Amino acid sequence: MTNQHGVTLSILSLGSTIYEISVPTKTGKRNLVLNYAHSRDYLDNPFYVCMAIGRTAGRIANGRLMLDGQTIQLPTNEGSTTLHGGAQGFNTQIWQGEIVHATNEDVIKMYHEQASSDGFPGQMLVCVTYSLTKDDVVEIKFSANSNEKTVFNPTQHTYFNLGKTETIKQHWLKINSNQVLELDKQKIPTTKKLPVAQTSFDFQGSTKLGTAIAAMSDTNEKGLDDLFVVQPDESGIIAELADPETNISVAIESKRNGLVAFTANSFTEEHMNLIRTKGVGRPYAGIALEPETLTGLEKENDFSEIELQPNRPKSYTIKYHLHF
Ligand code: GAL
């Protein structure tokens, strides 16, 4: 879809993946998200490039989901952990797509029925609606309805790179967050929230990513892979990413309490046929900013925040406000 300002949004049926969000430049257009040359490249590595994530974004320790006091053993796909909906998550599915032309804006609707063969309870009908507004906002609405009680905590794993260079180190990032979650060795949050003040995780003022990443060089992760507890500002914005060279920025709107920021620290050279980096992956090639619901903040293994009751549809919206 292309709007009046020449912004283009395109989606792939594999994984309900954002393939392109491009904005016009003096000489052509600039794609603000990472993508690959071939659809098979998307499943060639564990990085979920720009794909839809569900049923649950993030990690479930030991694949143990608690619902109504019962433990459901989920299949694991990252050692002992169930990551991003498991091996048959939304990103691995082929979605049906439809473009709906409306007076104000066109929308791309992606549909899919997530079967309980993925190990989670419930046959779940999922629809992701992508719209592109006249004022350059990309809206992503995830809706689901299940025949049984299950969990639903979707996100879009969009990696942005708004610049001309091969990494995001020149970008500036602001996150409306004064706490990050403590993580254990498996990167699973404990119930402890750590204040960001006076640490390199403080992005409350706009901060240059290269500087923040350099300050994290003695950590295991060597960059950001963290869950921030966020407070939307008066316009509903939770984070903003900007590239001073191209003067392009994206502000992220979400009503949920969390944002994962991942600076692609572990991107590998091989198996990453990215168009931008001419087929060679490299750390910091992009930054994934993933709005989601943080669970178990008060009590371990508490999934009540993300429960989806039978036949009670629920939806979540993420918006990218583009400025260029
Ligand atoms: C992020 C997660 C990272 C990594 C990435 C996908 O959401 O926090 O640890 O798994 O997804 O490669």
Side-chain angles (χ1 to χ4, degrees):
M1 300 188 295
T2 300
N3 76 1
Q4 297 91 319
H5 298 147
V7 178
T8 297
L9 169 69
S10 55
I11 309 295
L12 303 178
S13 49
L14 169 65
S16 196
T17 298
I18 296 186
Y19 178 75
E20 176 183 10
I21 299 177
S22 62
V23 298
T25 61
K26 285 200 185 90
T27 50
K29 61 178 187 170
R30 178 173 308 289
N31 188 5
L32 310 182
V33 302
L34 298 187
N35 62 3
Y36 291 113
H38 307 288
S39 50
R40 66 167 181 271
D41 300 329
Y42 280 88
L43 297 172
D44 214 18
N45 58 63
F47 298 118
Y48 300 81
V49 170
C50 296
M51 305 183 103
I53 304 292
R55 306 175 186 215
T56 50
R59 296 186 162 82
I60 298 179
N62 304 309
R64 276 192 209 127
L65 175 68
M66 296 279 292
L67 276 181
D68 289 336
Q70 304 260 352
T71 304
I72 297 159
Q73 182 61 53
L74 304 170
T76 57
N77 60 333
E78 189 198 47
S80 59
T81 303
T82 303
L83 172 65
H84 291 334
Q88 293 177 49
F90 290 176
N91 68 301
T92 64
Q93 309 292 319
I94 305 286
W95 296 59
Q96 302 299 312
E98 182 190 357
I99 299 185
V100 184
H101 300 283
T103 12
N104 284 331
E105 61 202 21
D106 290 347
V107 292
I108 298 178
K109 280 194 163 190
M110 303 300 289
Y111 300 94
H112 162 65
E113 185 167 341
Q114 186 74 15
S116 49
S117 50
D118 66 0
F120 288 80
Q123 292 270 114
M124 193 162 92
L125 280 171
V126 196
C127 177
V128 194
T129 310
Y130 298 86
S131 34
L132 173 61
T133 70
K134 295 196 291 283
D135 46 357
D136 311 321
V137 182
V138 173
E139 293 187 6
I140 309 167
K141 183 176 174 193
F142 296 89
S143 310
N145 194 10
S146 173
N147 64 348
E148 274 175 61
K149 188 170 186 169
T150 186
V151 278
F152 184 48
N153 188 12
T155 192
Q156 192 84 32
H157 209 289
T158 311
Y159 287 92
F160 292 100
N161 185 329
L162 315 175
K164 296 180 183 171
T165 53
E166 288 194 345
T167 77
I168 42 71
K169 289 185 180 173
Q170 306 299 321
H171 287 40
W172 289 67
L173 177 66
K174 182 173 189 287
I175 307 179
N176 293 321
S177 164
N178 52 25
Q179 286 174 319
V180 331
L181 303 189
E182 182 188 65
L183 302 175
D184 70 12
K185 287 204 183 77
Q186 261 90 38
K187 295 205 225 179
I188 295 179
T190 71
T191 50
K192 200 161 167 197
K193 301 176 205 84
L194 309 171
V196 298
Q198 268 115 47
T199 74
S200 38
F201 298 92
D202 189 349
F203 291 90
Q204 295 175 95
S206 207
T207 303
K208 191 176 175 182
L209 274 170
T211 312
I213 290 168
M216 294 172 190
S217 60
D218 58 349
T219 64
N220 281 343
E221 201 50 54
K222 301 192 172 18
L224 281 176
D225 186 6
D226 289 277
L227 295 91
F228 290 85
V229 182
V230 290
Q231 296 84 29
D233 72 9
E234 60 287 351
S235 330
I237 302 298
I238 55 167
E240 186 163 359
L241 181 71
D243 178 59
E245 192 189 1
T246 54
N247 216 9
I248 297 173
S249 68
V250 49
I252 299 184
E253 185 181 334
S254 160
K255 293 193 168 63
R256 287 145 93 193
N257 63 352
L259 178 77
V260 173
F262 174 53
T263 46
N265 321 315
S266 46
F267 271 20
T268 49
E269 274 188 25
E270 290 180 358
H271 306 295
M272 293 213 76
N273 195 14
L274 293 168
I275 293 176
R276 173 183 276 266
T277 51
K278 302 194 174 57
V280 184
R282 58 185 90 244
Y284 319 115
I287 177 170
L289 294 168
E290 313 153 49
E292 63 179 52
T293 305
L294 302 177
T295 55
L297 289 189
E298 308 304 330
K299 209 170 81 196
E300 265 176 45
N301 299 321
D302 178 10
F303 296 94
S304 53
E305 294 269 340
I306 59 165
E307 277 178 9
L308 181 67
Q309 306 301 330
N311 304 313
R312 297 258 304 276
K314 204 168 176 179
S315 45
Y316 294 107
T317 301
I318 296 170
K319 297 187 192 181
Y320 303 145
H321 297 255
L322 309 175
H323 304 282
F324 54 91

